[in-house]
Amino acid sequence: MPSLDTLLAFLGISVLVTLAPGPDNLMVIGQSLAHGRRAGLAFGLGCAAGCLTHIAWATLGIAALVRASTGLFMAIKLAGAAYLVYVGVSMLRAGPPQACSAALPSAPLRTVIAQGFLTNVLNPKVALFFLAFVPQFIAPDAPDKALAFILLGCIFNLGGIIWCHLLVFTTVYASHRVRLSQRLGRWLNRGIGTLFVGLGIKLAS
């Protein structure tokens, strides 16, 4: 198993990676603003499930297969890009976010969870990140590399879940303290939607 020094180094870098702006973080904020705490947490749960899927793929060597197969990588990459564009266009067409104090998700929570899962699992760069990042903290002579990989991957995912909760509660608290006007809320929705369309186009390039 990884040494204490290795675990501390892994935790430090994982925190920096988790704090970096990305599709998952932005969508958690967007869901929390538009539909409240339950929707934000549900989306974050879906992202965590997608992250666990990537950990499993990487552990089983599927991520290596994706990296070796240009066609398979492009297929997953384009599917993820198309989904991000779809989410962005949906946000552009939606109305302004409502107040979060009594708002419920416009879709069932299981649908929001599925959206979070798809946003994460359809991004092959996440799987390749795990394949490239986690092994750096596993000793070449480790007796059980797969178990060490799973442990480090789950630690990373746990950090992401904690950060997601902080994002949700901070966003909802801020929305209660600073009431958004209808016009500002509409432009906020459009801004986030445009950002996701751009992310999808960039991912496909």
Side-chain angles (χ1 to χ4, degrees):
M1 301 302 291
S3 66
L4 179 59
D5 289 343
T6 299
L7 281 176
L8 291 176
F10 178 81
L11 285 173
I13 298 176
S14 296
V15 168
L16 294 178
V17 172
T18 301
L19 296 181
D24 292 352
N25 288 346
L26 293 174
M27 279 298 289
V28 165
I29 293 173
Q31 286 285 348
S32 300
L33 277 175
H35 306 300
R37 175 177 54 85
R38 293 179 64 198
L41 292 176
F43 191 90
L45 179 61
C47 291
C51 192
L52 286 176
T53 302
H54 283 300
I55 293 170
W57 285 359
T59 303
L60 296 174
I62 295 178
L65 176 62
V66 171
R67 184 172 61 177
S69 172
T70 303
L72 182 58
F73 176 81
M74 285 304 301
I76 299 177
K77 184 177 181 180
L78 290 174
Y83 183 73
L84 284 177
V85 171
Y86 165 76
V87 171
V89 171
S90 298
M91 295 185 71
L92 287 172
R93 298 177 60 185
Q98 303 300 316
C100 295
S101 55
L104 291 176
S106 59
L109 289 182
R110 62 179 179 273
T111 301
V112 180
I113 292 173
Q115 290 173 349
F117 177 79
L118 290 173
T119 298
N120 188 283
V121 83
L122 288 177
N123 186 352
K125 292 183 178 180
V126 178
L128 297 179
F129 165 78
F130 278 111
L131 191 65
F133 175 65
V134 176
Q136 308 303 320
F137 299 88
I138 300 176
D141 57 349
D144 197 335
K145 295 181 178 63
L147 181 60
F149 194 104
I150 293 173
L151 174 63
L152 292 175
C154 288
I155 290 174
F156 181 91
N157 200 23
L158 177 61
I161 293 173
I162 294 173
W163 174 238
C164 168
H165 278 69
L166 289 175
L167 276 180
V168 170
F169 286 105
T170 301
T171 300
V172 173
Y173 175 79
S175 72
H176 286 164
R177 301 290 293 183
V178 181
R179 296 294 180 179
L180 296 177
S181 68
Q182 291 288 305
R183 183 176 181 182
L184 180 59
R186 185 179 296 110
W187 280 107
L188 178 64
N189 234 15
R190 289 176 179 176
I192 297 175
T194 301
L195 179 60
F196 270 87
V197 171
L199 286 171
I201 294 173
K202 182 178 179 181
L203 183 60
S205 61

